[in-house]
Amino acid sequence: MSLNDRMEALARGVAEREATHAADLARARVRADVLHTQVESAIGRFNEVVGVDVPHLRVEVSPPRIDDKHLHAIEFDLARGRHRAIVSVKSKGEVTLVGPFRAGKNEGPCRSFPFSEEDELDDALGDFLERFLEDAVAP
């Protein structure tokens, strides 16, 4: 069997296996897009206020993408300098808030919430963003 044939056979098997996760991953993508819109709006407001006099405090929000660690999850991150925080939306119906932490250091702390815990997640997301921003702009 040629190398190309072997890779094609492998790809077919992987694609068949992963197709069973497609609907759950699509649901996670929708949830991640909603959270991303909320976070991007909140960080955008923060950036508008600090950008006038202290533009070096600007925070970046990445676009949603397949999670770096979990193939069946969508993530986006916040960054200012070495300070990071990650929002990971897993296909199993869970949102995990990671950080804040510094790039090159261990990630954490993490808090996870089922999709059904909307109010609890909203409160935790506000706390999470405040903690990240306080850490990210500390001298």
Side-chain angles (χ1 to χ4, degrees), residues 54-124:
V54 281
H56 59 282
L57 299 181
R58 181 174 185 73
V59 173
E60 301 297 325
V61 180
S62 75
R65 63 184 183 281
I66 294 295
D67 190 296
D68 292 341
K69 290 185 177 180
H70 306 283
L71 185 59
H72 301 145
I74 307 296
E75 75 174 6
F76 61 91
D77 57 304
L78 296 90
R80 205 237 29 96
R82 291 183 49 213
H83 297 274
R84 300 286 188 275
I86 300 170
V87 177
S88 179
V89 182
K90 298 177 179 151
S91 65
K92 64 183 179 181
E94 184 178 271
V95 176
T96 301
L97 307 176
V98 182
F101 60 95
R102 289 187 184 179
K105 304 288 184 183
N106 289 337
E107 294 177 2
C110 300
R111 291 187 65 197
S112 295
F113 303 88
F115 285 4
S116 60
E117 297 296 326
E118 192 73 37
D119 291 339
E120 189 177 340
L121 175 59
D122 285 346
D123 289 341

Side-chain angles (χ1 to χ4, degrees), residues 41 127 133:
S41 175
D127 295 343
L133 291 169

Side-chain angles (χ1 to χ4, degrees), residues 14 17 34 40 46 50 80 89 93 123 126-127 133 137:
V14 170
R17 179 191 73 211
V34 168
E40 196 169 48
F46 175 86
V50 300
R80 205 237 29 96
V89 182
D123 289 341
D127 295 343
L133 291 169
V137 300

